[in-house]
Amino acid sequence: MFNSLTGTITAKLPQCLYVETGGIEWDLAVPDSSLDSFPPVGSQGRVFTWLLHREDSMKLFGFASQQERSLFLDLLKVDGVGAKGALKIMSGISPQQLSQALDSEDLAQLERLPGVGKKTAQKMMLALKGKLSFGDAPPSRQAAATSRWQDVVQALSDMGYDKRDCEAVLARLEQELAQELQGKIPSQQEELLFRKAIVELA
C-alpha cells in the first residue's frame, strides 16, 4: 500500500520517528540502529515503510533503506518472531553483523539479541542462513547484476540455493553470455540465465 513517505523529520525517539507530510504527522516504528541514518530533525527525508494491519490496530514501520525493510520482512518469516520482535533484533545488531553471525553459525551472538533465546536463534539460523545479502559489500558488477536479475535470484533462492552464491554466479554468467543475451527479450534472457545458473550451482 505505502512504499515510502517523504517529508520533514519532526522527532527522533527510541524506536520511533515522526515525519510530517502535507500537514499530517506520521508516527513510525523504526529500529534504533536506523535513527542516525535519517536526516536531522527539521530536515527533509524519505522513509521506506511497511504497514501492519490487524482487525483492532494499525502500525506503520519505517526504514532508512529498502534493504533494511527487506531484512525486516525476512525476520518476519522466522517462526516466533513478530513485527515488534524483528524491530528489537534490528535495534540490537547491524544487518552486516547479523549476516556474519548467521554465516558463521554464531548462536551465542544471536542469543544475546533482545528477545532472542536459544530456540529462536536456532530458528533464525535455519530460516535465514545464506539468504541475506548484507555481508561485505559486493563488487559493483555483482550488485548491478543482482539488481537486473532480481527475479532470477529469487527463483533460485526459493529452490534452496544460497542467495549470495546465486548473485555471484549470475554476475559471472552475464559477462560470459553477453553476446548470447543480446537481441533477446528480457523474459528470454532470464530463462537462459536461470537454466545456466542451475547447472553452475548444482
Side-chain angles (χ1 to χ4, degrees):
M1 180 180 291
F2 302 110
N3 180 56
S4 67
L5 294 174
T6 299
T8 303
I9 308 294
T10 54
K12 291 182 178 182
L13 304 169
Q15 293 189 17
C16 180
L17 185 75
Y18 290 172
V19 181
E20 183 179 346
T21 63
I24 299 174
E25 188 175 50
W26 301 84
D27 176 358
L28 300 106
V30 302
D32 285 334
S33 57
S34 299
L35 284 173
D36 289 341
S37 300
F38 293 107
V41 172
S43 302
Q44 287 284 307
R46 183 182 185 187
V47 187
F48 292 91
T49 60
W50 181 78
L51 177 66
L52 175 64
H53 188 187
R54 293 175 175 163
E55 290 184 3
D56 58 346
S57 65
M58 294 175 64
K59 186 64 179 176
L60 197 59
F61 291 77
F63 308 93
S65 67
Q66 295 185 69
Q67 289 77 17
E68 278 191 358
R69 181 173 60 187
S70 295
L71 174 58
F72 176 81
L73 296 176
D74 282 336
L75 286 169
L76 293 185
K77 298 175 185 176
V78 179
D79 184 29
V81 176
K84 290 183 179 180
L87 202 69
K88 287 181 179 180
I89 290 171
M90 292 181 67
S91 294
I93 192 170
S94 72
Q96 292 81 7
Q97 290 173 330
L98 177 58
S99 179
Q100 291 168 5
L102 291 168
D103 288 346
S104 61
E105 299 187 1
D106 189 350
L107 285 172
Q109 184 174 3
L110 296 178
E111 290 172 21
R112 288 195 293 268
L113 295 172
V116 177
K118 186 174 182 179
K119 288 185 177 180
T120 301
Q122 291 172 340
K123 290 177 181 178
M124 289 173 62
M125 190 73 66
L126 290 172
L128 302 177
K129 182 184 176 184
K131 296 184 178 179
L132 302 181
S133 56
F134 292 92
D136 296 334
S140 58
R141 188 178 74 184
Q142 181 172 324
T146 300
S147 177
R148 278 193 292 273
W149 312 117
Q150 186 175 5
D151 290 343
V152 180
V153 171
Q154 187 61 53
L156 292 167
S157 180
D158 289 344
M159 293 175 66
Y161 293 111
D162 184 284
K163 186 173 183 179
R164 278 174 289 183
D165 287 346
C166 298
E167 293 169 352
V169 167
L170 285 171
R172 178 166 51 79
L173 287 174
E174 183 182 39
Q175 298 297 312
E176 294 177 357
L177 303 173
Q179 291 185 344
E180 195 171 347
L181 290 170
Q182 286 182 354
K184 294 183 181 296
I185 61 175
S187 61
Q188 292 174 328
Q189 293 176 338
E190 290 179 351
E191 182 181 358
L192 174 61
L193 287 170
F194 179 77
R195 288 190 285 106
K196 295 286 187 180
I198 288 179
V199 174
E200 294 283 336
L201 292 164

